[in-house]
Amino acid sequence: MTDDGTWGIDLHADDVTRFPGVAFVLWRVCGLSPEAGVALADEAQRHGTVRVLDCRTREEAERVVAEIQVLGVRATAATATTRR
C-alpha cells in the first residue's frame, strides 16, 4: 500500500436498509459502537451522506467500502477534502 493522503468512507442514505442493519455493518466492518452506527445512519438519512471513517490509504478505504457494500449498505471512498 502507498501512503497517498487521508481517504474517507462516506455512508449514503438508504431507503431499504434499516438503522439497526446499518449499525451492525458499521460495527462489523469499522468497529463502531451500535449507538454510533445508528446515529450515523440517522445523519446520513437526514443529510444524504455522512463521513463514518478515515483511512490512511486509498487501498484501505476501497477495501473497507467493498466490505460495507457486500453487506448491503451503500458507501463510497473519497479524499479527506471531498464531501459527497
Side-chain angles (χ1 to χ4, degrees), residues 1 6-12 22 25-26 28-31 49-79 82 84:
M1 289 187 188
T6 303
W7 284 75
I9 308 299
D10 292 338
L11 177 72
H12 297 272
V22 174
V25 169
L26 294 177
R28 172 90 181 200
V29 177
C30 303
T49 188
V50 64
R51 180 70 40 102
V52 296
L53 185 69
D54 286 318
C55 300
R56 285 190 255 184
T57 66
R58 180 179 182 175
E59 291 84 2
E60 179 185 3
E62 289 175 346
R63 179 191 55 77
V64 171
V65 164
E67 287 183 42
I68 291 170
Q69 289 177 345
V70 162
L71 294 172
V73 175
R74 188 167 171 246
T76 56
T79 60
T82 304
R84 293 189 177 180

Side-chain angles (χ1 to χ4, degrees), residues 3-52:
D3 185 4
D4 53 357
T6 303
W7 284 75
I9 308 299
D10 292 338
L11 177 72
H12 297 272
D14 181 345
D15 292 334
V16 177
T17 310
R18 297 187 179 264
F19 288 4
V22 174
F24 172 80
V25 169
L26 294 177
W27 166 76
R28 172 90 181 200
V29 177
C30 303
L32 298 176
S33 71
E35 297 80 15
V38 169
L40 288 167
D42 180 56
E43 190 173 338
Q45 195 64 33
R46 286 187 285 116
H47 300 287
T49 188
V50 64
R51 180 70 40 102
V52 296

